[in-house]
Amino acid sequence: EPLKVLLDRFDAQQSGSRRGSITLLTLDTVRNGLQNGCIDVFFQPKVTVPDRRLAGVEALVRWRAEDGRLIPPIAFLPVVEENGLIDELTAQVFQIAVSAAAGWVKDGLNIKVAVNFSVESLNRFDLVDFLIDTAREKGIDPDKLILEVTESRIMEEVTTPLEILTRLRIKGAGLAIDDFGTGASSMQQLKRIPFTELKIDRAFVAGAPTDDEARAMLESSIALAKKLDLSIVAEGVETQEEWDLIESLGVEIVQGYFIAKPMPADELLAWARANGDVTA
Ligand code: C2E
Ligand code: MG
Ligand code: MG
Ligand code: MG
């Protein structure tokens, strides 16, 4: 029986699928698709507050089904992670992302690119050389890269991910703690891992205008990040009200539908031009 997962708000325009529930891809589909070009990558702007300049992008994986539909990560990442296929996915996403970044540089847009890493993909020491070499081959310096890691399960694998992340940091890559506030281990991780950026989960942003508890979490996360000298990104800003609140709290960078949705690499360039970020 196919498993169903809930779709939050993966946009119909992007995915062709309706809101509600979506069927997890099968292991066969995932295995075949990974070898046959089904991995696609969209890019979502991160902008500075309050001037809305492009600060960088986050690369977000999509599955391009045979009929052209786009399928969101929630429908295949669990299958990938649970079946030992995450290294393959990570490698493809990273290669596509740095290729896109190199293309933008040729068009006069030189920005940081953030890529998401599952903890499972931070278990091989050859990852460091692979990432640095792949980026350098395309002419992208390590300091243009940000690795985003969600806190949820990183504590289970104690030493290897920490060492890999630290080595990448030493080479100049940025490290973001993603979905901050949603996992029990946030504080522990902040102490152990040399993060450069803290991404506050959308739940706290969305709740903050009306919910005192969400607001308290938001404000204390911001205070903590400032004390630790981390840059702060508010995720999932959807409304003017949320933007205004985030601005009043002194957050430096915003990512969310209020500014732009994730989009293909060529659209990102057009978006940046329209936004005045391309000088060449
Ligand atoms: P994430 O890293 O926290 O990425 C942000 C997610 O929030 C993205 O969902 C993005 O489309 C969505 N988002 C951005 N702005 C808004 C907004 O204003 N409102 C709402 N409702 N959502 C917004 P997406 O692309 O479905 O990705 C979901 C998660 O899948 C990501 O969360 C990340 O944990 C994971 N993921 C995505 N790409 C990759 C990848 O290449 N590798 C790995 N390992 N994980 C990935
Ligand atoms: Mg992320
Ligand atoms: Mg996040
Ligand atoms: Mg997330």
Side-chain angles (χ1 to χ4, degrees), residues 8-10 44 58-62 72-73 77 81 86 89 93 116-118 148 150 178-179 202 235-238 255-257 262:
D8 174 15
R9 291 187 54 182
F10 197 76
Q44 185 178 30
E58 178 175 6
L60 293 158
V61 69
R62 271 89 183 94
L77 271 183
E81 288 174 348
I86 191 65
L89 178 135
V93 169
N116 292 283
F117 286 78
S118 302
E148 297 197 4
T150 305
D178 207 348
D179 303 340
R202 182 178 110 72
E235 291 193 294
V237 172
E238 293 188 354
Q255 180 182 349
Y257 295 170

PDB file of all heavy atoms in Angstrom, residues 8-10 44 58-62 72-73 77 81 86 89 93 116-118 148 150 178-179 202 235-238 255-257 262, ligand 1:
ATOM      1  N   ASP A   8       2.332  20.375   2.618  1.00  0.00           N
ATOM      2  CA  ASP A   8       1.997  21.630   3.290  1.00  0.00           C
ATOM      3  C   ASP A   8       1.541  22.634   2.251  1.00  0.00           C
ATOM      4  O   ASP A   8       0.361  22.810   2.006  1.00  0.00           O
ATOM      5  CB  ASP A   8       3.204  22.129   4.096  1.00  0.00           C
ATOM      6  CG  ASP A   8       2.983  23.497   4.719  1.00  0.00           C
ATOM      7  OD1 ASP A   8       1.822  23.948   4.773  1.00  0.00           O
ATOM      8  OD2 ASP A   8       3.960  24.115   5.146  1.00  0.00           O
ATOM      9  N   ARG A   9       2.473  23.297   1.638  1.00  0.00           N
ATOM     10  CA  ARG A   9       2.042  24.295   0.675  1.00  0.00           C
ATOM     11  C   ARG A   9       2.940  24.295  -0.537  1.00  0.00           C
ATOM     12  O   ARG A   9       3.403  25.318  -0.971  1.00  0.00           O
ATOM     13  CB  ARG A   9       2.012  25.679   1.325  1.00  0.00           C
ATOM     14  CG  ARG A   9       0.927  25.780   2.342  1.00  0.00           C
ATOM     15  CD  ARG A   9       0.810  27.173   2.839  1.00  0.00           C
ATOM     16  NE  ARG A   9       0.630  28.130   1.751  1.00  0.00           N
ATOM     17  CZ  ARG A   9       0.535  29.419   1.951  1.00  0.00           C
ATOM     18  NH1 ARG A   9       0.613  29.905   3.156  1.00  0.00           N
ATOM     19  NH2 ARG A   9       0.347  30.222   0.944  1.00  0.00           N
ATOM     20  N   PHE A  10       3.246  23.145  -1.040  1.00  0.00           N
ATOM     21  CA  PHE A  10       4.049  23.101  -2.252  1.00  0.00           C
ATOM     22  C   PHE A  10       3.174  23.636  -3.360  1.00  0.00           C
ATOM     23  O   PHE A  10       2.104  23.122  -3.635  1.00  0.00           O
ATOM     24  CB  PHE A  10       4.500  21.675  -2.537  1.00  0.00           C
ATOM     25  CG  PHE A  10       5.645  21.615  -3.501  1.00  0.00           C
ATOM     26  CD1 PHE A  10       6.920  21.932  -3.076  1.00  0.00           C
ATOM     27  CD2 PHE A  10       5.457  21.250  -4.810  1.00  0.00           C
ATOM     28  CE1 PHE A  10       7.988  21.881  -3.947  1.00  0.00           C
ATOM     29  CE2 PHE A  10       6.525  21.197  -5.689  1.00  0.00           C
ATOM     30  CZ  PHE A  10       7.785  21.511  -5.267  1.00  0.00           C
ATOM     31  N   GLN A  44      15.873  29.681  -4.272  1.00  0.00           N
ATOM     32  CA  GLN A  44      15.033  30.704  -3.649  1.00  0.00           C
ATOM     33  C   GLN A  44      15.912  31.836  -3.121  1.00  0.00           C
ATOM     34  O   GLN A  44      16.878  31.595  -2.393  1.00  0.00           O
ATOM     35  CB  GLN A  44      14.222  30.105  -2.501  1.00  0.00           C
ATOM     36  CG  GLN A  44      13.239  31.115  -1.913  1.00  0.00           C
ATOM     37  CD  GLN A  44      12.376  30.539  -0.808  1.00  0.00           C
ATOM     38  OE1 GLN A  44      12.802  29.628  -0.084  1.00  0.00           O
ATOM     39  NE2 GLN A  44      11.164  31.055  -0.680  1.00  0.00           N
ATOM     40  N   GLU A  58      19.096  29.750  -1.775  1.00  0.00           N
ATOM     41  CA  GLU A  58      19.109  28.376  -1.271  1.00  0.00           C
ATOM     42  C   GLU A  58      18.707  27.442  -2.400  1.00  0.00           C
ATOM     43  O   GLU A  58      17.697  27.669  -3.071  1.00  0.00           O
ATOM     44  CB  GLU A  58      18.147  28.197  -0.089  1.00  0.00           C
ATOM     45  CG  GLU A  58      18.137  26.738   0.396  1.00  0.00           C
ATOM     46  CD  GLU A  58      17.294  26.488   1.645  1.00  0.00           C
ATOM     47  OE1 GLU A  58      16.607  27.420   2.109  1.00  0.00           O
ATOM     48  OE2 GLU A  58      17.341  25.345   2.134  1.00  0.00           O
ATOM     49  N   ALA A  59      19.508  26.400  -2.607  1.00  0.00           N
ATOM     50  CA  ALA A  59      19.196  25.366  -3.592  1.00  0.00           C
ATOM     51  C   ALA A  59      18.238  24.361  -2.962  1.00  0.00           C
ATOM     52  O   ALA A  59      18.484  23.874  -1.860  1.00  0.00           O
ATOM     53  CB  ALA A  59      20.475  24.655  -4.025  1.00  0.00           C
ATOM     54  N   LEU A  60      17.136  24.079  -3.647  1.00  0.00           N
ATOM     55  CA  LEU A  60      16.117  23.161  -3.120  1.00  0.00           C
ATOM     56  C   LEU A  60      15.815  22.090  -4.170  1.00  0.00           C
ATOM     57  O   LEU A  60      15.446  22.402  -5.307  1.00  0.00           O
ATOM     58  CB  LEU A  60      14.854  23.946  -2.759  1.00  0.00           C
ATOM     59  CG  LEU A  60      15.056  24.917  -1.576  1.00  0.00           C
ATOM     60  CD1 LEU A  60      14.006  26.021  -1.586  1.00  0.00           C
ATOM     61  CD2 LEU A  60      15.061  24.156  -0.253  1.00  0.00           C
ATOM     62  N   VAL A  61      15.986  20.849  -3.772  1.00  0.00           N
ATOM     63  CA  VAL A  61      15.844  19.752  -4.729  1.00  0.00           C
ATOM     64  C   VAL A  61      14.381  19.537  -5.115  1.00  0.00           C
ATOM     65  O   VAL A  61      13.475  19.705  -4.294  1.00  0.00           O
ATOM     66  CB  VAL A  61      16.469  18.449  -4.168  1.00  0.00           C
ATOM     67  CG1 VAL A  61      15.679  17.895  -2.991  1.00  0.00           C
ATOM     68  CG2 VAL A  61      16.608  17.396  -5.262  1.00  0.00           C
ATOM     69  N   ARG A  62      14.150  19.199  -6.355  1.00  0.00           N
ATOM     70  CA  ARG A  62      12.852  18.776  -6.866  1.00  0.00           C
ATOM     71  C   ARG A  62      13.039  17.520  -7.698  1.00  0.00           C
ATOM     72  O   ARG A  62      14.124  17.287  -8.244  1.00  0.00           O
ATOM     73  CB  ARG A  62      12.216  19.858  -7.772  1.00  0.00           C
ATOM     74  CG  ARG A  62      11.350  20.865  -7.011  1.00  0.00           C
ATOM     75  CD  ARG A  62      12.172  22.020  -6.540  1.00  0.00           C
ATOM     76  NE  ARG A  62      11.392  22.964  -5.737  1.00  0.00           N
ATOM     77  CZ  ARG A  62      11.301  22.942  -4.391  1.00  0.00           C
ATOM     78  NH1 ARG A  62      11.924  21.995  -3.703  1.00  0.00           N
ATOM     79  NH2 ARG A  62      10.598  23.832  -3.740  1.00  0.00           N
ATOM     80  N   PRO A  72       7.791  17.536  -4.730  1.00  0.00           N
ATOM     81  CA  PRO A  72       8.572  18.168  -3.658  1.00  0.00           C
ATOM     82  C   PRO A  72       9.408  17.166  -2.861  1.00  0.00           C
ATOM     83  O   PRO A  72       9.110  15.971  -2.832  1.00  0.00           O
ATOM     84  CB  PRO A  72       7.497  18.790  -2.760  1.00  0.00           C
ATOM     85  CG  PRO A  72       6.297  17.932  -2.969  1.00  0.00           C
ATOM     86  CD  PRO A  72       6.361  17.452  -4.401  1.00  0.00           C
ATOM     87  N   PRO A  73      10.444  17.658  -2.183  1.00  0.00           N
ATOM     88  CA  PRO A  73      11.363  16.764  -1.469  1.00  0.00           C
ATOM     89  C   PRO A  73      10.702  15.874  -0.431  1.00  0.00           C
ATOM     90  O   PRO A  73      11.160  14.757  -0.198  1.00  0.00           O
ATOM     91  CB  PRO A  73      12.366  17.725  -0.810  1.00  0.00           C
ATOM     92  CG  PRO A  73      11.956  19.101  -1.127  1.00  0.00           C
ATOM     93  CD  PRO A  73      10.905  19.063  -2.173  1.00  0.00           C
ATOM     94  N   LEU A  77      12.629  12.459  -0.327  1.00  0.00           N
ATOM     95  CA  LEU A  77      13.813  12.474   0.550  1.00  0.00           C
ATOM     96  C   LEU A  77      13.821  11.328   1.567  1.00  0.00           C
ATOM     97  O   LEU A  77      14.872  10.712   1.791  1.00  0.00           O
ATOM     98  CB  LEU A  77      13.947  13.806   1.285  1.00  0.00           C
ATOM     99  CG  LEU A  77      14.742  14.915   0.604  1.00  0.00           C
ATOM    100  CD1 LEU A  77      14.815  16.123   1.525  1.00  0.00           C
ATOM    101  CD2 LEU A  77      16.147  14.454   0.213  1.00  0.00           C
ATOM    102  N   GLU A  81      16.887   8.804   1.824  1.00  0.00           N
ATOM    103  CA  GLU A  81      17.695   8.716   3.047  1.00  0.00           C
ATOM    104  C   GLU A  81      17.681   7.310   3.643  1.00  0.00           C
ATOM    105  O   GLU A  81      18.695   6.820   4.131  1.00  0.00           O
ATOM    106  CB  GLU A  81      17.183   9.716   4.094  1.00  0.00           C
ATOM    107  CG  GLU A  81      17.516  11.165   3.743  1.00  0.00           C
ATOM    108  CD  GLU A  81      16.898  12.176   4.699  1.00  0.00           C
ATOM    109  OE1 GLU A  81      16.015  11.785   5.505  1.00  0.00           O
ATOM    110  OE2 GLU A  81      17.295  13.356   4.637  1.00  0.00           O
ATOM    111  N   ILE A  86      21.414   8.762  -0.363  1.00  0.00           N
ATOM    112  CA  ILE A  86      21.522  10.202  -0.147  1.00  0.00           C
ATOM    113  C   ILE A  86      22.831  10.769  -0.708  1.00  0.00           C
ATOM    114  O   ILE A  86      22.864  11.912  -1.198  1.00  0.00           O
ATOM    115  CB  ILE A  86      21.355  10.564   1.353  1.00  0.00           C
ATOM    116  CG1 ILE A  86      21.208  12.083   1.538  1.00  0.00           C
ATOM    117  CG2 ILE A  86      22.496  10.030   2.205  1.00  0.00           C
ATOM    118  CD1 ILE A  86      19.996  12.700   0.954  1.00  0.00           C
ATOM    119  N   LEU A  89      22.188  11.649  -4.298  1.00  0.00           N
ATOM    120  CA  LEU A  89      21.347  12.841  -4.442  1.00  0.00           C
ATOM    121  C   LEU A  89      22.123  14.107  -4.093  1.00  0.00           C
ATOM    122  O   LEU A  89      22.105  15.094  -4.831  1.00  0.00           O
ATOM    123  CB  LEU A  89      20.095  12.728  -3.565  1.00  0.00           C
ATOM    124  CG  LEU A  89      19.177  13.957  -3.621  1.00  0.00           C
ATOM    125  CD1 LEU A  89      17.712  13.546  -3.772  1.00  0.00           C
ATOM    126  CD2 LEU A  89      19.325  14.851  -2.391  1.00  0.00           C
ATOM    127  N   VAL A  93      22.727  17.288  -6.594  1.00  0.00           N
ATOM    128  CA  VAL A  93      22.207  18.618  -6.254  1.00  0.00           C
ATOM    129  C   VAL A  93      23.369  19.612  -6.186  1.00  0.00           C
ATOM    130  O   VAL A  93      23.298  20.723  -6.724  1.00  0.00           O
ATOM    131  CB  VAL A  93      21.448  18.592  -4.910  1.00  0.00           C
ATOM    132  CG1 VAL A  93      21.138  20.008  -4.426  1.00  0.00           C
ATOM    133  CG2 VAL A  93      20.157  17.779  -5.048  1.00  0.00           C
ATOM    134  N   ASN A 116      21.426  22.179   1.002  1.00  0.00           N
ATOM    135  CA  ASN A 116      21.010  21.392   2.167  1.00  0.00           C
ATOM    136  C   ASN A 116      21.731  20.055   2.217  1.00  0.00           C
ATOM    137  O   ASN A 116      21.872  19.373   1.203  1.00  0.00           O
ATOM    138  CB  ASN A 116      19.503  21.128   2.108  1.00  0.00           C
ATOM    139  CG  ASN A 116      18.708  22.390   2.309  1.00  0.00           C
ATOM    140  OD1 ASN A 116      18.562  22.881   3.424  1.00  0.00           O
ATOM    141  ND2 ASN A 116      18.214  22.952   1.211  1.00  0.00           N
ATOM    142  N   PHE A 117      22.163  19.672   3.405  1.00  0.00           N
ATOM    143  CA  PHE A 117      22.824  18.377   3.600  1.00  0.00           C
ATOM    144  C   PHE A 117      22.101  17.593   4.678  1.00  0.00           C
ATOM    145  O   PHE A 117      21.916  18.079   5.796  1.00  0.00           O
ATOM    146  CB  PHE A 117      24.290  18.577   4.001  1.00  0.00           C
ATOM    147  CG  PHE A 117      25.148  19.016   2.851  1.00  0.00           C
ATOM    148  CD1 PHE A 117      25.134  20.332   2.426  1.00  0.00           C
ATOM    149  CD2 PHE A 117      25.937  18.100   2.183  1.00  0.00           C
ATOM    150  CE1 PHE A 117      25.908  20.737   1.341  1.00  0.00           C
ATOM    151  CE2 PHE A 117      26.717  18.488   1.101  1.00  0.00           C
ATOM    152  CZ  PHE A 117      26.697  19.810   0.678  1.00  0.00           C
ATOM    153  N   SER A 118      21.709  16.374   4.339  1.00  0.00           N
ATOM    154  CA  SER A 118      21.202  15.461   5.358  1.00  0.00           C
ATOM    155  C   SER A 118      22.380  14.979   6.190  1.00  0.00           C
ATOM    156  O   SER A 118      23.485  14.819   5.666  1.00  0.00           O
ATOM    157  CB  SER A 118      20.550  14.238   4.712  1.00  0.00           C
ATOM    158  OG  SER A 118      19.500  14.613   3.868  1.00  0.00           O
ATOM    159  N   GLU A 148      23.720  23.933   4.630  1.00  0.00           N
ATOM    160  CA  GLU A 148      22.623  24.005   5.599  1.00  0.00           C
ATOM    161  C   GLU A 148      22.382  22.618   6.178  1.00  0.00           C
ATOM    162  O   GLU A 148      22.217  21.654   5.436  1.00  0.00           O
ATOM    163  CB  GLU A 148      21.341  24.512   4.930  1.00  0.00           C
ATOM    164  CG  GLU A 148      21.479  25.928   4.409  1.00  0.00           C
ATOM    165  CD  GLU A 148      20.130  26.590   4.112  1.00  0.00           C
ATOM    166  OE1 GLU A 148      19.068  25.991   4.373  1.00  0.00           O
ATOM    167  OE2 GLU A 148      20.163  27.728   3.617  1.00  0.00           O
ATOM    168  N   THR A 150      20.050  20.548   9.041  1.00  0.00           N
ATOM    169  CA  THR A 150      18.953  20.573  10.000  1.00  0.00           C
ATOM    170  C   THR A 150      19.384  19.841  11.251  1.00  0.00           C
ATOM    171  O   THR A 150      20.072  18.827  11.189  1.00  0.00           O
ATOM    172  CB  THR A 150      17.704  19.895   9.396  1.00  0.00           C
ATOM    173  OG1 THR A 150      17.412  20.549   8.169  1.00  0.00           O
ATOM    174  CG2 THR A 150      16.518  20.002  10.318  1.00  0.00           C
ATOM    175  N   ASP A 178      19.816  24.894  10.222  1.00  0.00           N
ATOM    176  CA  ASP A 178      18.528  25.079   9.541  1.00  0.00           C
ATOM    177  C   ASP A 178      17.378  24.772  10.501  1.00  0.00           C
ATOM    178  O   ASP A 178      17.547  23.994  11.447  1.00  0.00           O
ATOM    179  CB  ASP A 178      18.477  24.101   8.359  1.00  0.00           C
ATOM    180  CG  ASP A 178      17.581  24.575   7.235  1.00  0.00           C
ATOM    181  OD1 ASP A 178      16.812  25.536   7.429  1.00  0.00           O
ATOM    182  OD2 ASP A 178      17.656  23.963   6.156  1.00  0.00           O
ATOM    183  N   ASP A 179      16.227  25.369  10.249  1.00  0.00           N
ATOM    184  CA  ASP A 179      15.008  25.084  11.030  1.00  0.00           C
ATOM    185  C   ASP A 179      15.261  25.251  12.523  1.00  0.00           C
ATOM    186  O   ASP A 179      14.774  24.461  13.340  1.00  0.00           O
ATOM    187  CB  ASP A 179      14.501  23.658  10.768  1.00  0.00           C
ATOM    188  CG  ASP A 179      14.236  23.407   9.293  1.00  0.00           C
ATOM    189  OD1 ASP A 179      14.070  24.382   8.542  1.00  0.00           O
ATOM    190  OD2 ASP A 179      14.183  22.227   8.896  1.00  0.00           O
ATOM    191  N   ARG A 202      10.256  28.627  10.027  1.00  0.00           N
ATOM    192  CA  ARG A 202       9.042  29.325   9.634  1.00  0.00           C
ATOM    193  C   ARG A 202       7.948  29.292  10.699  1.00  0.00           C
ATOM    194  O   ARG A 202       7.146  30.209  10.812  1.00  0.00           O
ATOM    195  CB  ARG A 202       8.536  28.657   8.348  1.00  0.00           C
ATOM    196  CG  ARG A 202       7.318  29.234   7.744  1.00  0.00           C
ATOM    197  CD  ARG A 202       6.991  28.475   6.464  1.00  0.00           C
ATOM    198  NE  ARG A 202       5.799  27.655   6.603  1.00  0.00           N
ATOM    199  CZ  ARG A 202       4.565  28.137   6.667  1.00  0.00           C
ATOM    200  NH1 ARG A 202       4.372  29.435   6.634  1.00  0.00           N
ATOM    201  NH2 ARG A 202       3.540  27.333   6.778  1.00  0.00           N
ATOM    202  N   GLU A 235      13.108  32.348   7.998  1.00  0.00           N
ATOM    203  CA  GLU A 235      12.570  31.515   6.923  1.00  0.00           C
ATOM    204  C   GLU A 235      11.061  31.660   6.830  1.00  0.00           C
ATOM    205  O   GLU A 235      10.384  31.798   7.840  1.00  0.00           O
ATOM    206  CB  GLU A 235      12.824  30.032   7.235  1.00  0.00           C
ATOM    207  CG  GLU A 235      14.242  29.589   7.185  1.00  0.00           C
ATOM    208  CD  GLU A 235      14.309  28.060   7.197  1.00  0.00           C
ATOM    209  OE1 GLU A 235      13.933  27.442   8.212  1.00  0.00           O
ATOM    210  OE2 GLU A 235      14.732  27.502   6.191  1.00  0.00           O
ATOM    211  N   GLY A 236      10.568  31.585   5.616  1.00  0.00           N
ATOM    212  CA  GLY A 236       9.125  31.454   5.420  1.00  0.00           C
ATOM    213  C   GLY A 236       8.323  32.708   5.706  1.00  0.00           C
ATOM    214  O   GLY A 236       7.179  32.630   6.153  1.00  0.00           O
ATOM    215  N   VAL A 237       8.917  33.873   5.441  1.00  0.00           N
ATOM    216  CA  VAL A 237       8.150  35.115   5.584  1.00  0.00           C
ATOM    217  C   VAL A 237       7.172  35.216   4.417  1.00  0.00           C
ATOM    218  O   VAL A 237       7.575  35.181   3.256  1.00  0.00           O
ATOM    219  CB  VAL A 237       9.105  36.333   5.630  1.00  0.00           C
ATOM    220  CG1 VAL A 237       8.324  37.634   5.573  1.00  0.00           C
ATOM    221  CG2 VAL A 237       9.965  36.268   6.879  1.00  0.00           C
ATOM    222  N   GLU A 238       5.904  35.288   4.736  1.00  0.00           N
ATOM    223  CA  GLU A 238       4.870  35.259   3.690  1.00  0.00           C
ATOM    224  C   GLU A 238       4.092  36.557   3.567  1.00  0.00           C
ATOM    225  O   GLU A 238       3.435  36.784   2.549  1.00  0.00           O
ATOM    226  CB  GLU A 238       3.880  34.113   3.960  1.00  0.00           C
ATOM    227  CG  GLU A 238       4.491  32.733   3.818  1.00  0.00           C
ATOM    228  CD  GLU A 238       3.455  31.615   3.897  1.00  0.00           C
ATOM    229  OE1 GLU A 238       2.277  31.902   4.180  1.00  0.00           O
ATOM    230  OE2 GLU A 238       3.850  30.455   3.676  1.00  0.00           O
ATOM    231  N   GLN A 255      14.003  35.049   3.876  1.00  0.00           N
ATOM    232  CA  GLN A 255      13.739  34.132   2.776  1.00  0.00           C
ATOM    233  C   GLN A 255      12.278  33.740   2.902  1.00  0.00           C
ATOM    234  O   GLN A 255      11.842  33.306   3.956  1.00  0.00           O
ATOM    235  CB  GLN A 255      14.644  32.905   2.936  1.00  0.00           C
ATOM    236  CG  GLN A 255      14.496  31.852   1.865  1.00  0.00           C
ATOM    237  CD  GLN A 255      15.400  30.651   2.119  1.00  0.00           C
ATOM    238  OE1 GLN A 255      16.290  30.689   2.994  1.00  0.00           O
ATOM    239  NE2 GLN A 255      15.167  29.580   1.402  1.00  0.00           N
ATOM    240  N   GLY A 256      11.505  33.921   1.852  1.00  0.00           N
ATOM    241  CA  GLY A 256      10.096  33.526   1.966  1.00  0.00           C
ATOM    242  C   GLY A 256       9.288  33.952   0.770  1.00  0.00           C
ATOM    243  O   GLY A 256       9.742  34.740  -0.057  1.00  0.00           O
ATOM    244  N   TYR A 257       8.083  33.405   0.690  1.00  0.00           N
ATOM    245  CA  TYR A 257       7.216  33.672  -0.456  1.00  0.00           C
ATOM    246  C   TYR A 257       6.900  35.161  -0.589  1.00  0.00           C
ATOM    247  O   TYR A 257       6.569  35.631  -1.673  1.00  0.00           O
ATOM    248  CB  TYR A 257       5.913  32.881  -0.336  1.00  0.00           C
ATOM    249  CG  TYR A 257       6.054  31.376  -0.392  1.00  0.00           C
ATOM    250  CD1 TYR A 257       4.972  30.545  -0.093  1.00  0.00           C
ATOM    251  CD2 TYR A 257       7.256  30.767  -0.756  1.00  0.00           C
ATOM    252  CE1 TYR A 257       5.083  29.170  -0.138  1.00  0.00           C
ATOM    253  CE2 TYR A 257       7.373  29.387  -0.799  1.00  0.00           C
ATOM    254  CZ  TYR A 257       6.278  28.590  -0.486  1.00  0.00           C
ATOM    255  OH  TYR A 257       6.384  27.223  -0.533  1.00  0.00           O
ATOM    256  N   PRO A 262      10.849  29.548  -4.656  1.00  0.00           N
ATOM    257  CA  PRO A 262      11.957  28.874  -5.349  1.00  0.00           C
ATOM    258  C   PRO A 262      11.667  28.830  -6.856  1.00  0.00           C
ATOM    259  O   PRO A 262      10.506  28.701  -7.251  1.00  0.00           O
ATOM    260  CB  PRO A 262      11.934  27.469  -4.753  1.00  0.00           C
ATOM    261  CG  PRO A 262      11.218  27.600  -3.443  1.00  0.00           C
ATOM    262  CD  PRO A 262      10.202  28.676  -3.655  1.00  0.00           C
TER     263      PRO A 262
HETATM  264  P1  C2E B   1      14.433  23.862   4.274  1.00  0.00           P
HETATM  265  O1  C2E B   1      15.866  23.648   4.006  1.00  0.00           O
HETATM  266  O2  C2E B   1      14.051  24.446   5.578  1.00  0.00           O
HETATM  267  O3  C2E B   1      13.926  24.743   3.057  1.00  0.00           O
HETATM  268  C1  C2E B   1      12.917  25.714   3.159  1.00  0.00           C
HETATM  269  C2  C2E B   1      11.598  25.152   2.715  1.00  0.00           C
HETATM  270  O4  C2E B   1      10.573  26.129   2.959  1.00  0.00           O
HETATM  271  C3  C2E B   1      11.512  24.861   1.220  1.00  0.00           C
HETATM  272  O5  C2E B   1      10.609  23.771   1.041  1.00  0.00           O
HETATM  273  C4  C2E B   1      10.908  26.139   0.675  1.00  0.00           C
HETATM  274  O6  C2E B   1      10.279  25.968  -0.576  1.00  0.00           O
HETATM  275  C5  C2E B   1       9.914  26.439   1.764  1.00  0.00           C
HETATM  276  N1  C2E B   1       9.551  27.859   1.837  1.00  0.00           N
HETATM  277  C6  C2E B   1      10.305  28.938   1.561  1.00  0.00           C
HETATM  278  N2  C2E B   1       9.651  30.067   1.791  1.00  0.00           N
HETATM  279  C7  C2E B   1       8.425  29.719   2.240  1.00  0.00           C
HETATM  280  C8  C2E B   1       7.264  30.458   2.655  1.00  0.00           C
HETATM  281  O7  C2E B   1       7.239  31.678   2.663  1.00  0.00           O
HETATM  282  N3  C2E B   1       6.196  29.729   3.060  1.00  0.00           N
HETATM  283  C9  C2E B   1       6.199  28.367   3.056  1.00  0.00           C
HETATM  284  N4  C2E B   1       5.106  27.737   3.436  1.00  0.00           N
HETATM  285  N5  C2E B   1       7.274  27.640   2.694  1.00  0.00           N
HETATM  286  C10 C2E B   1       8.364  28.306   2.285  1.00  0.00           C
HETATM  287  P2  C2E B   1      10.962  22.538   0.100  1.00  0.00           P
HETATM  288  O8  C2E B   1      11.690  22.998  -1.109  1.00  0.00           O
HETATM  289  O9  C2E B   1       9.730  21.725  -0.054  1.00  0.00           O
HETATM  290  O10 C2E B   1      12.030  21.730   0.960  1.00  0.00           O
HETATM  291  C11 C2E B   1      11.657  21.110   2.154  1.00  0.00           C
HETATM  292  C12 C2E B   1      12.862  20.584   2.885  1.00  0.00           C
HETATM  293  O11 C2E B   1      13.484  19.539   2.162  1.00  0.00           O
HETATM  294  C13 C2E B   1      13.957  21.616   3.073  1.00  0.00           C
HETATM  295  O12 C2E B   1      13.629  22.480   4.136  1.00  0.00           O
HETATM  296  C14 C2E B   1      15.140  20.732   3.361  1.00  0.00           C
HETATM  297  O13 C2E B   1      15.138  20.303   4.700  1.00  0.00           O
HETATM  298  C15 C2E B   1      14.858  19.551   2.468  1.00  0.00           C
HETATM  299  N6  C2E B   1      15.632  19.670   1.219  1.00  0.00           N
HETATM  300  C16 C2E B   1      15.378  20.429   0.124  1.00  0.00           C
HETATM  301  N7  C2E B   1      16.344  20.259  -0.810  1.00  0.00           N
HETATM  302  C17 C2E B   1      17.247  19.396  -0.280  1.00  0.00           C
HETATM  303  C18 C2E B   1      18.486  18.812  -0.762  1.00  0.00           C
HETATM  304  O14 C2E B   1      18.982  19.098  -1.857  1.00  0.00           O
HETATM  305  N8  C2E B   1      19.101  17.926   0.081  1.00  0.00           N
HETATM  306  C19 C2E B   1      18.605  17.613   1.303  1.00  0.00           C
HETATM  307  N9  C2E B   1      19.284  16.735   2.041  1.00  0.00           N
HETATM  308  N10 C2E B   1      17.476  18.148   1.784  1.00  0.00           N
HETATM  309  C20 C2E B   1      16.798  19.022   1.009  1.00  0.00           C
END
